[in-house]
Amino acid sequence: GRHQLLEKIKTLASRRQLADLTVGPVLTQTTEGMLSHCAQLAQLPGARVLFGGTELLGGDHSIPKCYGAINPTAVFVPLAEILKPENFALCTTEIFGPFQVVTEYSDSELPLVLEALERMDHHLTAAIVSNDADFQLKVLGNTVNGTTYVGARARTTGAPQNHWFGPAGDPRGAGIGTREAIQMVWSCHREVIIDAAMPKNFTTPQAS
């Protein structure tokens, strides 16, 4: 159920350690900035910190303050709050670090999820994690992303290997700035990667 899924996410996140560099400094954010973002999200009605929201190792590290160092963090925000115009930018700001926003929705609320996806700016990489083929096709047919992983596994992200960001929005949103790079990603196809088959005797790999 829902509780089991959240606990599994928490357990997997807790495996990440500075000692083996499965979590480490974030170069584009400060610790203060990421914790402030977490606090702003947590103040929204119905929101709560699922795990994390604290500095890495309680601050007992040598990472300079100009970088970010937080424990893997997840914040739950109700879908209705995410969709409010005054909250949307806050809830959909991507933190390039161990940080995620979690929500939930019923079958009847799927159009609201699709609305949220359409309102986002960059449309770079996404995943549809489901073994329901009808659901997969419905979401695929109503979203636009450069790289989309589909299936029960749907492992993201392949963005460093698959820069198929167009025609999913302005390629400069991916930090691609040269004329040649913009032409390459803007004129290419949409990449859909089916990732459904589960190998026999599969076990969760080590964090990397």
Side-chain angles (χ1 to χ4, degrees):
R2 176 182 60 185
H3 178 73
Q4 291 177 315
L5 174 62
L6 294 177
E7 283 300 312
K8 186 170 184 178
I9 294 173
K10 180 179 179 179
T11 298
L12 291 173
S14 69
R15 301 186 311 160
R16 298 192 173 277
Q17 306 291 328
L18 182 60
D20 60 9
L21 298 181
T22 51
V23 68
V26 177
L27 305 186
T28 56
Q29 299 277 347
T30 64
T31 299
E32 182 180 2
M34 288 191 288
L35 294 181
S36 174
H37 185 71
C38 178
Q40 290 179 68
L41 289 168
Q43 288 175 359
L44 297 175
R48 64 185 185 277
V49 177
L50 295 174
F51 55 83
T54 55
E55 185 170 355
L56 192 62
L57 296 177
D60 185 19
H61 57 75
S62 59
I63 298 171
K65 289 188 178 298
C66 59
Y67 302 128
I70 66 170
N71 289 305
T73 296
V75 182
F76 173 85
V77 182
L79 180 59
E81 289 298 321
I82 293 175
L83 287 170
K84 290 181 179 178
E86 63 269 28
N87 297 336
F88 193 74
L90 172 67
C91 295
T92 58
T93 294
E94 183 174 7
I95 301 295
F96 286 91
F99 196 106
Q100 59 186 317
V101 173
V102 177
T103 194
E104 63 183 4
Y105 61 95
S106 64
D107 290 344
S108 64
E109 291 174 317
L110 180 58
L112 298 178
V113 176
L114 298 176
E115 175 192 336
L117 299 178
E118 183 66 19
R119 284 167 55 186
M120 292 181 185
D121 292 329
H122 301 317
H123 306 286
L124 303 181
T125 303
I128 306 168
V129 185
S130 172
N131 58 8
D132 183 331
D134 289 338
F135 176 83
Q136 294 171 6
L137 292 175
K138 184 171 184 177
V139 177
L140 273 175
N142 288 277
T143 55
V144 181
N145 293 286
T147 303
T148 305
Y149 296 78
V150 181
R153 302 183 78 190
R155 297 162 290 178
T156 63
T157 174
Q161 293 81 30
N162 300 290
H163 284 292
W164 306 127
F165 292 142
D170 191 329
R172 289 172 296 182
I176 298 171
T178 67
R179 178 185 304 173
E180 293 77 14
I182 289 173
Q183 290 173 341
M184 178 178 292
V185 299
W186 187 250
S187 60
C188 71
H189 60 280
R190 181 186 187 187
E191 187 95 343
V192 176
I193 300 161
I194 305 299
D195 191 11
M198 186 69 69
K200 292 183 178 179
N201 302 318
F202 173 82
T203 58
T204 304
Q206 294 295 317
S208 62

